[in-house]
Amino acid sequence: MRPAAALASVGATLLALALSGCSAQETGPTVTVFAAASLKESFTTLGEEFEERNPGTEVEFSFGGSDTLAAGITGGAPADVFASADEATMTRVTRAGGTSGQPQVFARNRLRIVTAPGNPDRVRSLGDLARPELKVVLCDAAVPCGAAARTVLETAGVRVRPVSYEQDVKGALTKVRLKEADAALVYATDVRAAGDAVTGVEFPEAETALNSYPIAVLEDAPQPEEAEAFVEFVRSAEGRRVLRAAGFMEPGAGRP
């Protein structure tokens, strides 16, 4: 597997994928997957298993904020599959004629508060994020984790003054891990993936903003057959097993 860096710009992505395309001609078909940052761990595992089941086929990922990935797709970046962290972002791509067929929801996710190991600032609830001495980080409102954070904060009537807005959920988590922030709102799956490096705090308001994750083959996919096979693998029993192990909920579930 050859994981690619998250999109910094459409131009950079076009160059990187053009180079990978040259390699694909030598080694066999390459399925290029644009996927939300929160899918990095689970999709990396799924990509490895897919390659084992399909010798000669490789899977290349670009992980990043769903909004940035969608902009790349609608801007002409070549890719085969898009997996978004919310349905609204996928809808923008579909309305622009970017998807082939109807996108399918394959998982759901919810927010958690994340702190340094052991929760030294004793953050117990969503309301604690309003404490003036805390340095809090949120995802930018343009990306799904930021939109979900805004929903839960508004629902709870909690006003937070973040020290920064990050372009994807991994950026928010990294701020806490590097001790550049005391707390952040990230997905439950990211808390699980970080292990002992952080502490996660559940809060009931998270139920007001559960994110559904859709996946679709793209209209101009260079490898449409392999792309369809990858999508079906993600939605298969084996795919669901990997996603559950990462902390994702089933598509129709309200609770893990």
Side-chain angles (χ1 to χ4, degrees):
M1 185 176 309
R2 300 169 297 174
L7 293 179
S9 67
V10 172
T13 303
L14 288 169
L15 175 60
L17 295 178
L19 293 175
S20 70
C22 294
S23 177
Q25 292 178 0
E26 299 174 1
T27 62
T30 296
V31 182
T32 301
V33 180
F34 282 15
S38 51
L39 292 165
K40 184 174 183 179
E41 291 80 13
S42 55
F43 265 38
T44 297
T45 298
L46 287 172
E48 292 170 351
E49 294 188 8
F50 183 80
E51 289 176 350
E52 290 178 2
R53 292 166 181 247
N54 298 273
T57 300
E58 296 191 25
V59 184
E60 182 174 274
F61 293 103
S62 282
F63 296 106
S66 297
D67 186 68
T68 300
L69 296 170
I73 293 167
T74 57
D80 296 291
V81 175
F82 180 39
S84 172
D86 72 346
E87 293 179 283
T89 305
M90 179 65 79
T91 296
R92 293 207 305 272
V93 175
T94 299
R95 287 178 176 171
T99 60
S100 175
Q102 184 67 28
Q104 299 294 321
V105 172
F106 64 93
R108 300 185 86 188
N109 210 346
R110 65 176 64 182
L111 294 178
R112 290 283 184 267
I113 299 168
V114 66
T115 73
N119 194 1
D121 295 296
R122 299 184 179 181
V123 177
R124 307 297 185 195
S125 69
L126 191 65
D128 284 339
L129 298 184
R131 285 159 43 189
E133 75 275 13
L134 284 184
K135 293 185 292 183
V136 178
V137 169
L138 300 177
C139 295
D140 189 274
V143 296
C145 62
R150 181 172 58 186
T151 296
V152 298
L153 290 168
E154 289 179 351
T155 299
V158 176
R159 186 174 183 181
V160 175
R161 297 183 182 276
V163 295
S164 70
Y165 290 98
E166 301 302 313
Q167 293 305 304
D168 61 53
V169 71
K170 297 300 186 186
L173 181 68
T174 297
K175 289 284 188 178
V176 175
R177 294 186 66 169
L178 295 178
K179 299 182 179 180
E180 295 175 5
D182 301 312
L185 284 173
V186 302
Y187 293 121
T189 52
D190 296 290
V191 174
R192 180 174 294 193
D196 294 338
V198 300
T199 290
V201 179
E202 298 184 10
F203 58 96
E205 294 88 351
E207 303 299 321
T208 65
L210 298 178
N211 276 32
S212 295
Y213 284 58
I215 190 169
V217 175
L218 295 175
E219 178 63 29
D220 297 321
Q223 306 290 342
E225 292 184 6
E226 290 81 4
E228 185 64 41
F230 180 78
V231 169
E232 289 304 312
F233 182 62
V234 170
R235 300 181 62 234
S236 71
E238 179 61 18
R240 294 196 302 272
R241 181 192 65 78
V242 171
L243 291 162
R244 283 197 304 270
F248 285 96
M249 297 177 283
E250 294 281 351
R255 294 183 180 275

